[in-house]
Amino acid sequence: RTLAVAQTSEAQFKNYKNMKIIISGGGTGGHIFPAIAIADAIKTKNPSAEILFVGAEGKMEMERVPKAGYEIIGLPVAGFQRSLSFENIKRNLIFPFKLIKSLLKARKIVKDFKPDAVVGVGGYASGPILRVAMSLGIKGLIQEQNSYAGVTNKLLGKNVEKICVAYDNMERFFPMQKLVFTGNPVRRDVWDNKITAKEARAFYGLDENKKTIVLIGGSLGARTMNQAMRDNFETIKENDDIQILWQCGKIYIEEYEKTETALLPNVKITAFLEKMDMAYAAADLVISRAGALSISEICAIGKASVLVPSPNVSEDHQTKNAMSLVNKNAAIMVKDSDAKYNMIKTAIQLVNNEQLSGNLSANAKSLGKPNAANDIAEEIFKLSK
């Protein structure tokens, strides 16, 4: 589409003064932050729009969404556990009861709020809320972030009106006529970043003149990547002209903050990176899991990256996400099983190779979709007409 076709005039949206939208899903930052970006895009275009989030009780969206300024209601929903450990068998036995309770609560939420459209971004809560909404004749849209569709979205895709996707060949999972290629929503503070590397490094107490690697293990941290940092103490120490900002995750911080690696002067360890715009601005190179949000942000800002896909995801979708960049010479991938030996070595070699890292950065940038949230908001407005 040309820009003129892709962008709907602001005047069109003035017709939606009393629009109400439910956005449902969560569980991880990869679902939550795109959902917030979509909500922000809706509010930018129509400040009077009412937006209600629905998440899963006890999950991180119950904390993150209110911080972003939106109301959220939790459902007692939980996922079905595929691995059959004793604990998981117990969880699966109560799964049907939680699902029924969630469906009943979802029905009350939808009837009370009376949304014009419902949006699912993936995660446990999106299933009940969209199923109830569609049974009541309310139009639905789902946003599939990954290159391999999740089970919930594949089921919902049969009945929603629109499916916003970020990768090619998604007709493998969804009806072709419903697909809209928008890319994944990225927080505005990430892609519209005016912070200099000098400012960002000063913010984190880093040397402004050293090449900087930022390691992002995801919102909860990544054990394999943390172990690779710990086990490559000598390599990191020897390359003291390179500094590493190490986000290890809040559940791992006590375990790793006292390791020899964490105490090196060229390493800065932190549990969580609250200001991702600062972290990305500080980086010459990013080491990251290959979640959909991380890849979208890396492309939006055009950073060279070493991607270490998590093996603990359904259908190995992070490897598929990573390969979508690797096949276009936009990133380098290191298998999780090889991280201990190759992750740090590869990152150091890459950050020292300015030509290769520059090529990866430029190719990643060419794949970025910074207007994804706005394009998805437009599709929501169309459903709410």
Side-chain angles (χ1 to χ4, degrees):
R1 297 183 300 174
T2 65
L3 186 63
V5 174
Q7 291 185 337
T8 309
S9 68
E10 297 296 326
Q12 176 181 339
F13 299 116
K14 292 179 180 178
N15 299 321
Y16 304 101
K17 286 294 182 184
N18 300 313
M19 184 174 66
K20 292 183 174 184
I21 303 294
I22 287 178
I23 300 177
S24 182
T28 67
H31 293 311
I32 298 163
F33 295 122
I36 292 171
I38 293 169
D40 289 345
I42 292 171
K43 292 293 282 185
T44 297
K45 291 179 177 293
N46 182 357
S48 66
E50 292 183 52
I51 298 174
L52 174 66
F53 278 77
V54 178
E57 291 175 356
K59 296 296 181 179
M60 65 183 295
E61 59 263 31
M62 303 306 295
E63 175 187 351
R64 294 282 163 188
V65 168
K67 280 187 176 180
Y70 296 101
E71 180 185 356
I72 185 167
I73 299 174
L75 299 179
V77 67
F80 188 84
Q81 306 300 316
R82 299 183 185 185
S83 61
L84 297 180
S85 67
F86 179 69
E87 284 300 318
N88 285 345
I89 290 172
K90 286 200 299 182
R91 292 190 185 103
N92 287 342
L93 287 174
I94 63 173
F95 171 79
F97 302 99
K98 286 193 171 185
L99 179 59
I100 292 170
K101 190 175 179 181
S102 295
L103 286 167
L104 292 172
K105 188 171 182 179
R107 178 172 287 272
K108 185 176 188 310
I109 291 169
V110 172
K111 285 193 168 185
D112 289 348
F113 189 69
K114 298 181 176 61
D116 297 291
V118 177
V119 180
V121 295
Y124 300 145
S126 61
I129 205 79
L130 264 85
R131 284 204 170 281
V132 165
M134 289 184 293
S135 73
L136 296 173
I138 298 165
K139 293 182 179 180
L141 175 149
I142 57 175
Q143 198 259 320
E144 174 55 61
Q145 291 117 15
N146 292 294
S147 58
Y148 196 97
V151 174
T152 300
N153 274 355
K154 281 192 281 189
L155 293 171
L156 293 172
K158 298 173 184 177
N159 297 311
V160 296
E161 276 69 31
K162 290 292 180 181
I163 305 163
C164 296
V165 297
Y167 292 93
D168 298 327
N169 303 316
M170 296 303 287
E171 62 273 12
R172 293 177 294 161
F173 311 108
F174 303 116
M176 182 72 181
Q177 69 275 12
K178 296 183 179 182
L179 296 178
V180 183
F181 186 85
T182 58
N184 281 323
V186 176
R187 291 167 283 183
R188 185 181 181 90
D189 63 338
V190 170
W191 64 262
D192 191 21
N193 192 346
K194 302 296 191 294
I195 302 165
T196 66
K198 180 179 178 180
E199 291 169 338
R201 290 170 189 174
F203 178 81
Y204 285 109
L206 299 169
D207 188 325
E208 66 180 70
N209 297 312
K210 285 187 177 182
K211 289 182 178 177
T212 303
I213 296 171
V214 175
L215 186 151
I216 306 166
S219 53
L220 300 177
R223 178 173 288 280
T224 305
M225 295 167 70
N226 289 336
Q227 289 173 339
M229 282 291 292
R230 180 196 63 197
D231 296 341
N232 282 266
F233 166 77
E234 291 294 343
T235 301
I236 297 169
K237 181 181 179 181
E238 290 167 6
N239 289 273
D240 60 357
D241 57 329
I242 297 169
Q243 58 193 351
I244 303 178
L245 177 59
W246 174 13
Q247 183 257 313
C248 72
K250 63 181 180 181
I251 64 175
Y252 295 115
I253 187 68
E254 289 187 10
E255 180 180 355
Y256 288 95
E257 66 181 347
K258 294 181 177 65
T259 60
E260 287 184 305
T261 303
L263 299 175
L264 286 171
N266 59 327
V267 173
K268 177 83 172 183
I269 189 170
T270 182
F272 190 77
L273 294 168
E274 288 284 353
K275 294 185 68 64
M276 286 305 302
D277 52 347
M278 285 285 187
Y280 285 127
D284 293 298
L285 171 75
V286 175
I287 304 174
S288 177
R289 285 302 200 193
L293 175 63
S294 297
I295 284 185
S296 296
E297 290 181 343
I298 287 167
C299 290
I301 60 176
K303 289 288 180 180
S305 63
V306 174
L307 300 175
V308 186
S310 170
N312 306 312
V313 294
S314 61
E315 308 294 343
D316 195 27
H317 69 251
Q318 285 204 7
T319 295
K320 297 176 177 70
N321 290 350
M323 289 305 299
S324 69
L325 268 63
V326 172
N327 290 336
K328 295 174 182 176
N329 195 30
I332 289 176
M333 186 180 81
V334 172
K335 291 182 179 180
D336 187 81
S337 57
D338 296 334
K340 176 178 178 179
Y341 308 101
N342 293 333
M343 186 184 81
I344 295 300
K345 180 176 70 175
T346 300
I348 289 173
Q349 289 174 346
L350 181 55
V351 82
N352 281 326
N353 187 333
E354 294 186 5
Q355 182 175 349
L356 177 56
S357 61
N359 288 340
L360 294 177
S361 176
N363 291 337
K365 184 76 172 177
S366 71
L367 300 173
K369 296 284 184 182
N371 290 319
N374 288 328
D375 290 345
I376 293 169
E378 290 184 13
E379 296 299 327
I380 296 167
F381 277 105
K382 291 174 187 175
L383 292 186
S384 307
K385 200 169 183 178

